[in-house]
């Protein structure tokens, strides 16, 4: 049993999105990518300026500790974020973020926060991994009103069946 969207959003932020292989339009990808022979255990590491998070079910993603952007989204050993692109991020990136990670039971929460959003506002962006689920749950809290978007770079040669318009 996973975390409900309502429970996550009510506890974390005002807006949210889930990026993963369940119910997002890339379900067919799971059938085309061979399962990993041995999925990495659930957990996270801090190394080389990145938090690397594994769901324990085949999904691994990396968050840059300096910028709070996602630099890798990997399922069963297949990289979905193309090399040579910018990291995936909130808006044009989070200015001067504080990036932290913690594990609480079967949840890993990576937080990128700033008090310099558009000069003086607060923004907190959350990435949440749930043990055994191939989904990255995300939510963003913005202290002052406005619209926020997530920009995800994906490898079109692998994700060729997705409608982009």
């Amino acid at each position: 049993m996973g975390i409900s969207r309502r429970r996550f959003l009510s506890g974390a932020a005002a807006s949210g999105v889930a990026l993963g292989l369940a119910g997002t339009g890339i379900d067919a990808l799971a059938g085309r990518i061979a399962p990993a022979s041995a999925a990495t255990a659930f957990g996270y590491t801090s190394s080389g300026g990145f938090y690397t998070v594994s769901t324990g079910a085949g999904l691994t993603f990396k968050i840059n500790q300096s910028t709070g952007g996602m630099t890798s989204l990997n399922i069963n050993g297949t990289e979905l974020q193309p090399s040579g692109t910018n990291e995936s991020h909130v808006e044009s990136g989070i200015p001067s973020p504080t990036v932290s990670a913690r594990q609480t039971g079967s949840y890993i929460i990576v937080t990128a926060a700033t008090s310099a959003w558009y000069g003086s506002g607060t923004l907190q962006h959350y990435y949440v991994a749930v043990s055994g689920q191939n989904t990255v749950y995300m939510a963003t809290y913005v202290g002052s009103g406005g619209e926020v978007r997530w920009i995800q770079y994906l490898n079109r040669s692998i994700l060729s069946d997705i409608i982009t318009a």
Side-chain angles (χ1 to χ4, degrees), residues 3 8-9 12 17-19 42 53 55 59 61 63 70 102 104 106-111 125-131 133-139:
I3 185 172
F8 174 69
L9 293 177
V17 67
L19 174 65
F42 176 71
V53 179
T55 65
L59 181 67
F61 61 95
I63 305 300
M70 181 183 290
R102 65 186 169 96
T104 303
S106 60
Y107 302 96
I108 296 171
I109 304 166
V110 180
T111 304
H125 183 71
Y126 303 92
Y127 303 90
V128 178
V130 180
S131 179
Q133 292 186 17
N134 282 331
T135 302
V136 180
Y137 294 93
M138 290 187 273

Side-chain angles (χ1 to χ4, degrees), residues 5 10 18 23 28 37 41-42 52 57-60 64 69 75 79 82 91 112 121-122 127 137 147 153 156 164-165:
R5 181 178 185 274
S10 67
S37 56
F42 176 71
T52 302
L59 181 67
T60 302
N64 186 319
I75 182 72
E79 183 58 48
E91 289 294 331
T122 299
Y127 303 90
Y137 294 93
E147 197 171 298
Y153 295 95
R156 290 180 187 216
T164 59

